[in-house]
Amino acid sequence: MSTELKIAERVRRILPSASVAALEQVLRLKAEGRDIIGLTVGEPDCDTPDHVIEAAAAAARAGVTHYTPVTGMPALKRAVVAKLARENGITTTEDQVVIATGAKQIIFTALSATVDNGDEVIVPAPYWVSYPDMVRFHGAEPVIVECPAAQGFKLTPAQLEAAITPRTRWLILNSPNNPTGAVYTEAEHRALIAVLRKHPHVWLMTDEIYEHFVYTGVSAVSPAALDDEIASRCLTVNGVSKAYAMTGWRIGFAVGARPLMAQIAKIISQVTSCPPSVSQAAALAALEGDQSFVHDLTAEYRARRDLMIDGLNAARGITCAAPEGAFYVYADVSGLIGKTDLDGKTLSSDLDVAAYFLQAAGISTIAGTSYGLSPYLRCSFATSADQIAKACGRIAEACDNLA
Ligand SMILES: Cc1ncc(COP(=O)(O)O)c(C=O)c1O
């Protein structure tokens, strides 16, 4: 018998996360001594606030080091219920809340709980890299709907209507969006809800992980707060990773219908047993403590966004509109396609442009191919103003060197 590892068919359907792969590449090149500026970062560039770390340390010393209930500690669930009422206008109870090991685990387990082979999940593009692969992993088909810049990278009601079939299980909406920063207004949400109301078999998964990073002066809206009928088939996903610079603590949370949350809990009980106890104590401190950290970070990111927009728009062949939220610029590089570099190589896709900037300018970005809409580059401004200015300067010079 062969000792060759047999890889499961479901795993062969997916690729490693493009953003994780990009980060690993930056680390590898830096370790080799290359001067690389990474614009691939998918997390705040600052550390977790002190009061959160102190709360975690105190909890660890006080013995909060054991398994907790599968769906999280009651105190943290109460804090999530209060947060949802305070910030999102969602009225709920603890039995509809699940705390998990990152928002990622919630999205994954929600799909595990609900989709079968042959089901369809509507994923507007540009999308967060993980949605389509998570859908494919479960044997379902991601129905990718391209949302071009001309419509603000947002799904229109007509597109939604056209994408729904009897096999549709979910629409996944992500606002503020990774990678475009698009933020759906209340009116836009209501228009999509009007379509969903006609199709009761379609559930809505709304990923609100970037909710605090909005630069338009209008807060991000939770669809579950707008319509009771939709709320009854909506999974609102969020977490502390981005807002409180807590990506490594791995705490996400969600609110949804009891039967769905029960199935998610069943899966988690078999996979991770519960989210990390000390991290839950940290998340509790983040949600209940002083919120100035989030506001200060948002103000800082607004300034960095403007710096990056100006810098990239100054580069010949690149255009970008100011993102309304999140911390990414989705830069249009169609003006560079067809140009040739100093070695005579023609740039024929955004993957080529990303590779050129890495090789010629030491700037790491992620090609739009990974997000389902090309030719674009995702550039993160969750890095220092100095680095942003330097990166934009190098990109502009690299653009000038193309013929
Ligand atoms: C849109 C989106 N959703 C979810 C996540 C994952 O969040 P968490 O760290 O809570 O798993 C990310 C992380 O990059 C993201 O960009």
Side-chain angles (χ1 to χ4, degrees):
M1 288 272 272
S2 162
T3 57
E4 195 184 333
L5 178 68
K6 178 193 168 288
I7 310 293
E9 157 45 31
R10 76 181 80 82
V11 180
R12 279 190 266 130
R13 280 182 225 132
I14 65 169
L15 293 169
S17 157
S19 30
V20 174
L23 181 66
E24 282 172 359
Q25 185 186 43
V26 170
L27 295 177
R28 202 172 48 246
L29 291 171
K30 280 186 174 170
E32 287 169 10
R34 295 261 327 259
D35 171 19
I36 304 290
I37 300 178
L39 299 183
T40 52
V41 215
E43 60 178 337
D45 55 322
C46 49
D47 292 330
T48 304
D50 275 348
H51 71 277
V52 172
I53 294 176
E54 293 307 329
R61 283 195 204 95
V64 184
T65 52
H66 301 270
Y67 292 128
T68 73
V70 171
T71 54
M73 295 173 181
L76 180 54
K77 286 188 171 187
R78 281 195 294 276
V80 167
V81 168
K83 176 255 180 282
L84 290 167
R86 185 176 70 235
E87 296 184 342
N88 307 91
I90 296 175
T91 308
T92 188
T93 47
E94 287 151 52
D95 57 345
Q96 289 189 256
V97 169
V98 165
I99 314 289
T101 309
K104 208 168 199 172
Q105 188 184 39
I106 291 171
I107 299 166
F108 190 93
T109 49
L111 293 171
S112 304
T114 54
V115 306
D116 282 316
N117 284 341
D119 284 342
E120 295 173 1
V121 175
I122 299 174
V123 181
Y127 45 71
W128 179 44
V129 290
S130 292
Y131 304 136
D133 272 347
M134 285 190 190
V135 171
R136 284 187 199 104
F137 183 87
H138 290 96
E141 190 195 330
V143 176
I144 310 287
V145 182
E146 281 196 12
C147 305
Q151 57 195 60
F153 298 117
K154 295 177 200 175
L155 182 71
T156 65
Q159 285 181 307
L160 174 59
E161 184 74 66
I164 293 174
T165 76
R167 288 179 171 275
T168 309
R169 301 305 315 274
W170 290 96
L171 160 66
I172 304 185
L173 270 193
N174 171 215
S175 170
N177 177 271
N178 173 6
T180 64
V183 180
Y184 286 78
T185 63
E186 180 176 333
E188 287 162 345
H189 274 308
R190 287 196 186 278
L192 294 176
I193 286 172
V195 176
L196 291 176
R197 285 189 69 110
K198 291 190 264 168
H199 302 278
H201 66 293
V202 181
W203 282 53
L204 173 63
M205 194 183 302
T206 150
D207 180 344
E208 306 182 3
I209 196 95
Y210 293 97
E211 68 172 339
H212 292 289
F213 301 105
V214 177
Y215 312 109
T216 54
V218 182
S219 299
V221 176
S222 297
L226 299 179
D227 185 296
D228 286 346
E229 198 273 309
I230 289 301
S232 72
R233 51 184 161 113
C234 179
L235 181 70
T236 303
V237 181
N238 208 325
V240 294
S241 282
K242 317 281 176 177
Y244 303 97
M246 291 179 67
T247 48
W249 300 79
R250 309 307 303 125
I251 296 292
F253 51 83
V255 55
R258 282 180 198 89
L260 171 63
M261 303 325 257
Q263 297 310 312
I264 291 176
K266 184 160 79 179
I267 298 168
I268 293 176
S269 79
Q270 296 288 13
V271 180
T272 43
S273 297
C274 65
S277 59
V278 171
S279 296
Q280 291 185 64
L284 179 61
L287 292 179
E288 288 192 334
D290 178 12
Q291 299 297 304
S292 56
F293 175 86
V294 188
H295 302 131
D296 294 350
L297 195 56
T298 306
E300 175 66 33
Y301 283 171
R302 180 183 285 113
R304 295 189 197 174
R305 172 195 75 154
D306 295 346
L307 184 67
M308 181 173 266
I309 287 298
D310 290 349
L312 289 177
N313 277 324
R316 218 176 321 161
I318 301 185
T319 49
C320 44
E324 299 164 321
F327 37 69
Y328 311 102
V329 169
Y330 206 53
D332 181 341
V333 294
S334 52
L336 300 177
I337 304 297
K339 294 201 171 187
T340 47
D341 68 14
L342 295 174
D343 298 329
K345 182 180 181 311
T346 302
L347 305 182
S348 48
S349 68
D350 50 19
L351 281 167
D352 286 349
V353 177
Y356 170 66
F357 285 155
L358 185 62
Q359 174 268 320
I363 306 298
S364 156
T365 57
I366 304 181
T369 321
S370 303
Y371 304 99
L373 194 74
S374 290
Y376 288 88
L377 294 185
R378 191 194 77 165
C379 304
S380 164
F381 51 88
T383 190
S384 72
D386 268 7
Q387 293 284 90
I388 293 172
K390 209 162 146 190
C392 291
R394 288 204 217 161
I395 286 176
E397 197 183 322
C399 290
D400 284 342
N401 288 336
L402 292 169

